Amino acid sequence: MDYRLYCEEKVAPPGSTWYYALRRVAPAQRDALTALQALAVELEAGVDECSEPTVAKAKLAWWRAEIERLYQGAPQHPVLQALLPATQAYRLPREELLELVGGAEMNVVHARYNDLAGLRLYAERTGGTLARLRARVLGETSEPALKQAEALGVALTLAGTVTEAGAHVRKGVIYWPVSELQQFNVPAAVVSGLRDTPELAALIRHQLGRAQQALHEWMKGLSPEQRRRQRVHLIVARITLATLNEIARAGAASVLNQRLSLTPLRKLWIAMTAR
């Protein structure tokens, strides 16, 4: 099996955000980044496919054992076979890969997040940890730089609660905090029923605005050298921000019944001009 191709088909098919973000990255870095993204996809899919929490937890326990096998040089899964060279080349910590599994497990344990702190913890353990790992591959080594990358991962996860809202709800998942549903007077049944009400539209605009602000703050904090080194991250952030802007123009509640995405040509333009 071509492990690299397996991962590319999972996360970077032609026309996708990661397809354009990874075009100008050195081959070894591109393979490592693609494998990391594919691992995140596999973990999420493994949980989504299980209706029984005990089965989902068993799958995640297998992934924990598989990560241990990875660091013994003998993984079984094609994604970790693809990731094997990167673990040594970029000194990827075992603890951070295991943290991704812990983040995925939060989707099994928590049917809802009561407040923003709970949602942010989930975002830190999933998107934040994944972004730290990507930053290591891109050459970041200092803890401040890794924390900064983590902030991007949190921002992208918050953005995903908006851009993927319809798909999440159809799977029975509502990521927006219970406290904020109450703040905007939106019963969970209204979200689950995909009912476009003024209150729900206001709630989604609130989530959208928070994600936009987080992405802007991350980009503002980059040094010129970081912009060069983390161009992959910059491209993904700019494409995500452009997508959120389009959702805002279309009407926030539009995300409930359609998945708005930029055209491949526009993604290519953003990738080419991101500095």
Side-chain angles (χ1 to χ4, degrees):
M1 176 185 288
D2 186 334
Y3 304 127
R4 180 186 58 80
L5 182 59
Y6 178 92
C7 293
E8 281 190 0
E9 290 175 347
K10 285 279 180 183
V11 300
S16 68
T17 295
W18 283 101
Y19 176 83
Y20 293 110
L22 294 169
R23 286 309 86 194
R24 295 187 182 180
V25 179
Q29 287 180 310
R30 181 167 63 245
D31 291 348
L33 293 170
T34 305
L36 284 170
Q37 293 303 117
L39 174 58
V41 168
E42 292 281 1
L43 290 172
E44 182 180 358
V47 171
D48 288 346
E49 290 165 4
C50 299
S51 57
E52 289 294 326
T54 52
V55 177
K57 288 183 177 181
K59 280 193 172 185
L60 293 173
W62 183 89
W63 275 108
R64 288 190 175 93
E66 178 69 348
I67 289 171
E68 295 299 334
R69 287 189 288 270
L70 169 67
Y71 283 89
Q72 295 165 7
Q76 301 171 7
H77 196 279
V79 167
L80 294 193
Q81 290 274 9
L83 190 59
L84 181 57
T87 56
Q88 292 184 340
Y90 302 108
R91 299 181 180 180
L92 304 181
R94 175 195 282 105
E95 295 75 16
E96 291 184 4
L97 291 177
L98 290 171
E99 184 73 356
L100 290 178
V101 183
E105 193 167 31
M106 290 182 72
N107 277 332
V108 182
V109 176
H110 298 281
R112 297 280 192 276
Y113 293 103
N114 290 329
D115 50 29
L116 180 58
L119 176 59
R120 286 192 67 88
L121 177 60
Y122 167 75
E124 288 165 5
R125 298 189 71 184
T126 54
T129 301
L130 184 60
R132 282 179 69 97
L133 287 160
R134 289 196 304 260
R136 293 182 188 277
V137 173
L138 295 170
E140 300 291 8
T141 56
S142 72
E143 183 58 25
L146 295 173
K147 286 294 291 183
Q148 189 178 41
E150 185 179 314
L152 170 64
V154 170
L156 292 174
T157 302
L158 294 177
T161 70
V162 177
T163 60
E164 303 293 332
H168 290 158
V169 171
R170 289 179 181 84
K171 290 188 295 187
V173 178
I174 301 174
Y175 282 104
W176 303 321
V178 172
S179 62
E180 295 185 357
L181 267 68
Q182 294 171 343
Q183 176 188 342
F184 286 87
N185 195 27
V186 178
V190 170
V191 183
S192 300
L194 301 172
R195 290 160 53 192
D196 184 358
T197 68
E199 294 81 8
L200 179 56
L203 171 67
I204 298 174
R205 284 195 298 272
H206 178 70
Q207 309 301 319
L208 191 153
R210 179 161 55 215
Q212 288 173 314
Q213 181 181 356
L215 287 167
H216 279 300
E217 287 177 355
W218 176 79
M219 287 189 289
K220 199 182 305 180
L222 291 177
S223 68
E225 177 60 23
Q226 286 174 319
R227 285 177 175 271
R228 183 196 64 77
R229 194 161 49 234
Q230 294 196 50
R231 189 158 181 262
V232 168
H233 276 166
L234 189 60
I235 291 169
V236 172
R238 289 198 180 280
I239 290 176
T240 303
L241 189 56
T243 303
L244 292 175
N245 292 342
E246 287 300 320
I247 291 171
R249 277 191 280 271
S254 64
V255 297
L256 295 175
N257 295 301
Q258 61 178 322
R259 187 183 184 281
L260 194 151
S261 179
L262 306 183
T263 65
L265 185 59
R266 187 166 176 197
K267 290 178 183 177
L268 174 61
W269 175 252
I270 291 173
M272 291 176 62
T273 57
R275 295 290 186 274

